[in-house]
Each structure stands twice: as C-alpha cells, then as structure tokens.
Amino acid sequence: MRRPLGLIPRRLWIRPKGRTRESRLRLGRVRAAPSSVGSSAMAAIARQRRSNFLPVGPRGRGAPPPPSLRRAGGGEGGGGGGRVDFLFSPPEPLFFTSRRSVAPLPFFWLRGGCGMALPRLLARALHRVASAATPAAPDFNSFVTRTNTCGELRSAHVGQKVTLYGWVQYQRQGLFLVLRDFQGLTQIIIPQDEAHSHVKELLSNAPVESVVRVTGIVSSRPLGQENPKMPTGDIEVKAETAEILNSCKKLPFEIKDFIKKSEALRMQYRYLDLRSFRLQSNLRLRSQMVMRMREYLCNLHGFVDVETPTLFKRTPGGAKEFLVPSREAGKFYSLPQSPQQFKQLLMVGGLDRYFQVARCYRDEGSRPDRQPEFTQIDIEMSFVDRAGIQRLIEGLLQHSWPEERALIMTPFPSMTYEEALAEYGTDKPDTRFGMKIMDIGDVLRGSDIHFVQNALSYPHGSIKAICIPQGVKYLTNKDLESLKESAKSQFNQEIMQIICRPDGRLKSLLTKFLGEKEQSELIRALNMQEDDVVLLAAGEHKQVCSALGALRLFSANLLEAAGLALRDPTAFHFLWVVDFPLFLPKAKNPTELESAHHPFTAPHPSDASLLYSDPTKVRSQHYDLVLNGNEVGGGSIRIHSAEQQRFVLEKVLKEDSEVLSHLIEALEFGAPPHGGIALGLDRLISLIVDAPSIRDVIAFPKSFRGRDLMGSAPDYVTPEELEPYHIQVSWPLEEKEAKKN
C-alpha cells in the first residue's frame, strides 16, 4: 500500500548505480539554506529524464552527506531555520539521471528554505518526475470488451480463455485463420468437430478483411510448427465461439505492405491503406514523439501550449496563402502559412515561452516533402539568443527521439551559409558522405585553358570540382552524360570530366593544356585515386557551387543504384546552418530585394549598421536545422524594435507597412527581445521512418496536385452558396460541361 506524506526523521540520498535495496524515496531532515540552493536542486531534478536511471534509497540516521555535496550545499547547518521531516513513497523505485547520460550524477543532497512550503513543493515535483520515470505500459484492453489484443499473447497465456477482435488477414482451407489488429497477428484454429460446426462454417466463409470476434483457449503450437517470425508464433487460439461483426466486400487492393499499389489508389481508399502495419507504425511513432515533445517543453521547461487563430489576414512576402471569403463584400481571410505574427505578439504579451503543434497552409504545388496543409512544432521564447534556441531543440530531439532508432549526439555541428554553399553547393547539406566541392582555382590559375582564365577574371569567378569515387567502375558513359546534361539544363553550367587511369595518368580534354606538374598538383588537390571521375566547373561562384552540389547528390544516387554503399540509411546527421544573408535579390527582378527568411528576422549584431547603408551585405540571425540533406527546422531571432521593423518593410522590401500595423504598434509597447523556431513535423517523421514521402506519415494527405482523392475535395458549390460571400464564378467551357454532368 502506498504510504501518505508523513513526518519521519530521514534524509534523502540518491544512491550510486547498483544499490537497489529500497523502493521508497524518503525525504527528510531538509535543512534550511538560502532559497537559491533549493531552487537549483529542484531545477536539477526537473531536468532529469526517465532512462539510464539511478536507484534511490535512504541512508542511516546520522550519516553525513558526501564531502563534495557538503561543499556544494554550504555545509551541514545551512543558513539557519528549523528542520522539516516528511515521507514520500512512490509505488515503484524512483530513478533519476538524464536520458542516455554518459556520466550520471551519483548523489543529490537536497536542502530547502524555512518552513513546510519548499519541502511540499519539492515532494510534488518529485512525485511528477517519479510518474514520468516509471511509466506504466499502456493498457490497450481498458474500456473495451476484448480481453487481449492480437499481438500480445505469449506462452505465459496458455490455458487462458480469451476474447479477440480483429480483421481476417487470411484463412487456409477451413483449418485456421490469422486475425489481425493494430498490434499484431494471432493464429486462430478453426474447430473441426460437429459440436462447433456453426463456428467452422462462419470462420471458413468469412471474407478477408471482415471484422470478427473470436473467443477461445490459448494453447501452445505443436512441436515444429512454431513461427519465430511472429511475436505470437509460439501459441494459437482454439476457437470456441465466433461472430462476424461486419463482412468485407471485394477489396480494391490487398492490404499487405509488400503488395505494390499506386499512390492514387492508396489515397482514394485511405481508410484501407491505414490498416497496413507500415502506416500504423508511422502514425503511432509520430504520436509518441509529439507526446514526448509536449512533456519536454511543458513539464520540464515551462512552455505554454497556445492555440492561435486559423483565420487571419494576408502576410506580405513568403509563400502564397489560401484565401477564405467572408460575408463582407470584397474582404477575405487568409489561412496563415505559420503562426509567426501571433507567437511574436504572445511574447509582447509576456507569456515568455510558447509552443504549439500548429496546422499551417501554403497555396503551392505539392512535392514529395511538401503539402498544402502541414504540421509544425512552433516555438517562441523571450530573452533568448541563437545558442539558447539551439540547445533547446537539441534537448527536445534527444528527449523525444525513438529508442529503436540510432542515437543522436549533441551538440549538433554547425556551419555558416557561405561554408555550406562553398563545400556542398546547398544550404541544406547531406553530411553522411564526402565528395565535397573543392576549389582548384590556384592549381589551374597558371594554365593556358581559355574558359578557366575567363572565369577567374570575373570578381566572383571560381574553378571548382567534385571527385566521384570509383566513378569509372560504377558509372556508365550514359550516366556521365546525364550528369552533364543535368547541369546544363538546370544551371546553364558546362561540365568537364577528368578520369584517373590505373597508371595514375589523367584522361580528359584538358590534359593537353596541363603539364606533368599541374596534373600532379590536380591529383593531389582532389585526392584522386584509380578509377575516380572528377567533374569540373568554371564560372560565377554561386552558380558553379549550386551546379556541383546538385551533381554531388545526383551522382550519389547513381552510385548507390549501381551497388556502392555511400550513405548509411540508419544514420541521422543533424547540422545547424547559420549566418544566412538577411536579403536576397528577387528572382524576377534582381534589382529589388526580398527576405531570405521572413521580414521579421533581425540582422546580425555585427552587421546592424549595414542595414541602413548596404543591406545586401547584412547577415541575419536566421538558423536552419538540417537532417540528412533535408531542412527540418528554421527560425530566427526577431526584430523587436518598431522603428527597425518599419524601415525593413518600407525602405528595404518596399512593402506596405500598414498591412502589419498591428504588429509594429505592438513592438512600441515594450516588446522584449525574442526568437523562435519551427520544426517541420511531417518531414522530420518521414526521415526518421525512412518514408519516401511525407504523405506516408500523414493520416489523410493531399495528392501531388493538392487534391483529396478520397473525398473529392476541392468540390463545386452552387451559386446560392456563393451568394452570401458576394462571389460569382466565370466557368470555363469545359468546366461548365463537367458541372452539368
């Protein structure tokens, strides 16, 4: 029986790992000390996680604390005041230390202030941590009429009478069937005796995917008939009674992960596709990660979960937004592409720490990693800098990371935008493999090659190359031509190839312009080995780097398709990319500027003066989180000065600041310095589960064209329905015919 809080003269000790004598945590003789000591102790406990635990137990009365803790706490006596004794007894042993910690703390010595207030608060805090530290296994059979799921029966259940519910996976010749639910499979033996003939007839004729209830006795499988590939492979259930709760008509496709079906068909019958183990696993892992993120942010770090409006007004810059008509003529709402303005206003409102699992919208064409509606983990903090945001996100991901996936190590490496572009040709580098872009301008500077000298004569001209390992062995001539054609069509960039022969000599159109010394220097600079292929590009720096960065990824795909293991699919390489430019030239009009991130991003403190003189040279306080070459998060420190925000909108971006007058006015009322970040939840989960598309981690996604194929959305509405919104539709002729039909 759990004992209530009481008063006994005991001290709290958190024992070193290995001492497991007692399961109760006793906290007593909490000596008075400065309140800051008590607060830091509570904070230390609150930071602890639930695995790699240390057992807790009391030591004998009168034993002094370890010397190191005595020093840390300021001695035995503390700061005066009385002693308070009380008891806290959790139902299970209480354990503490950080998750996957390399050096767990062996002891805590807790002190508190005068009176009972701090010990009681501390006991409650410990009780909450204890609940998180030893979570009970979820009870999947609570509130329902089944006794077990189809995935939990084992040899220990032999002899028990059970009731199972599930879908018929398949059945064999009227002898047995396999019943499936969300957790697994169970083999059901169909009775053959006359007394159960009605059960045999019912189960033998049940169509695949029919919903069935079966009651029977768990028994061991006959010797030699065990199935080690099934968690329930040692047992079977001998059916005594059964009922078909709902029969299934002919299926449009088989519900098996190894059966290939078109994505359009899967999305049309999404409710059937959701029955697959793969999608079930993806959605459950997603749910678990979100719950752990909430736990980390709210319970451990005091964030407030706030829901922000979905109907708002247009935000200048950024992606296109969906419009929603209103009953006021000519006025429309917009669906926000993110809660950006609201979370900044929450900081002005003094909430200090905000987060939300936010639904966001962009009226753009779908890609494998993008949807018109998507979900992000949205975060904002006051009085924070870039380093603080980075530590928060690293801790958040470590805390919520699935235990069945490879460990992630913190802190994540970091590189600047310029470094990423120069070495990988992109602002989201895949660092799981090498093949970095190399600058060979110094090697070829003295050559007589015309296009090289021409490129180097420009202010931002450069000569760069990538080396494809074993390219001769794994790439065909057709592959090499496709690489060159790709650079030409996408970047208008010519590519020269160089091959390293077995005798160490180079094969290329360039070799006739290069002497032996220059060839040796080129081999050394690129670290070329036998059968390597080098792709060389010359021209404007950013164009050359972008082209070679794309070829780096393209050639990696070709190498892996040919059998060379280049990127570990189980590895997770996180990377921070920082120091982005604050503004970029517009693609359609390079003489005008647009925000590289969004118009609320603050300039880098070192470049703040350049904002008013040469904004093209200003770096921003924008940071992106990259995982395996995919952007999974982005954020920035925000502008909190109304004057600076107005200048950026009006003078630099040439935007109408009246659209954001509410935000600019809010910044005039004592807005604190603040910053934040948003993690793309769909993309993050898809990378963790190695899904080819984010549609495989969303329950009801849109198609490539942004359509809901299951419910046929978007759909037509009648003129009568449009009338309150003062909208008339001018139908194209072919759509008129479709509407009539």
Side-chain angles (χ1 to χ4, degrees), residues 560-610:
E560 289 181 333
L564 178 64
L566 198 62
R567 294 170 288 196
D568 183 356
T570 65
F572 296 97
H573 286 215
F574 283 96
L575 172 73
W576 289 108
V577 180
V578 300
D579 290 350
F580 285 80
L582 186 58
F583 306 109
L584 293 172
K586 287 184 177 180
K588 294 182 179 179
N589 187 359
T591 61
E592 296 182 0
L593 296 177
E594 61 183 0
S595 296
H597 186 47
H598 56 55
F600 315 114
T601 301
H604 195 286
S606 302
D607 299 344
S609 61
L610 292 173

Side-chain angles (χ1 to χ4, degrees), residues 485-504:
E485 180 57 34
S486 173
K488 180 65 176 176
S489 60
Q490 293 184 44
F491 302 95
N492 194 28
Q493 179 65 55
E494 295 289 346
I495 298 293
M496 298 290 292
Q497 73 179 43
I498 306 172
I499 295 174
C500 186
R501 290 171 166 168
D503 59 6

Side-chain angles (χ1 to χ4, degrees), residues 23-243:
S23 66
R24 290 198 299 263
L25 178 151
R26 292 179 178 176
L27 179 60
R29 276 193 204 282
V30 181
R31 304 175 186 274
S35 59
S36 60
V37 177
S39 299
S40 62
M42 290 180 68
I45 292 174
R47 284 194 296 267
Q48 305 309 308
R49 179 66 163 100
R50 63 185 181 189
S51 55
N52 247 5
F53 302 131
L54 297 178
V56 176
R59 286 174 62 131
R61 185 194 303 257
S68 61
L69 296 175
R70 195 180 305 133
R71 287 195 301 272
E76 269 289 330
R83 295 177 179 178
V84 180
D85 301 324
F86 65 96
L87 168 70
F88 170 70
S89 298
E92 298 292 337
L94 183 61
F95 304 102
F96 292 101
T97 196
S98 59
R99 186 170 185 249
R100 300 187 177 110
S101 174
V102 177
L105 297 174
F107 293 98
F108 281 108
W109 179 244
L110 303 180
R111 301 176 182 275
C114 300
M116 286 292 292
L118 178 59
R120 281 177 177 161
L121 288 172
L122 193 52
R124 290 172 189 151
L126 289 170
H127 181 59
R128 287 194 294 269
V129 177
S131 301
T134 55
D139 183 2
F140 293 117
N141 303 308
S142 54
F143 316 118
V144 295
T145 53
R146 66 174 176 239
T147 61
N148 301 87
T149 65
C150 293
E152 69 175 294
L153 295 177
R154 301 292 187 271
S155 297
H157 296 92
V158 169
Q160 294 182 15
K161 187 172 185 177
V162 297
T163 298
L164 307 179
Y165 289 78
W167 287 262
V168 176
Q169 179 86 349
Y170 58 86
Q171 70 100 358
R172 290 288 184 270
Q173 300 175 344
L175 299 176
F176 70 89
L177 62 80
V178 172
L179 200 63
R180 184 198 75 244
D181 66 7
F182 69 93
Q183 200 177 37
L185 307 170
T186 296
Q187 182 167 288
I188 307 296
I189 300 301
I190 301 174
Q192 303 297 312
D193 57 301
E194 187 63 29
H196 295 89
S197 58
H198 63 291
V199 177
K200 177 182 179 181
E201 181 181 0
L202 186 146
L203 294 180
S204 299
N205 297 322
V208 171
E209 290 302 312
S210 295
V211 184
V212 176
R213 175 188 60 79
V214 174
T215 298
I217 304 297
V218 182
S219 61
S220 298
R221 292 197 186 189
L223 192 64
Q225 295 185 21
E226 300 90 347
N227 186 351
K229 296 181 180 179
M230 285 176 61
T232 61
D234 291 333
I235 61 93
E236 56 193 14
V237 173
K238 295 182 177 178
E240 293 182 346
T241 64
E243 179 184 0

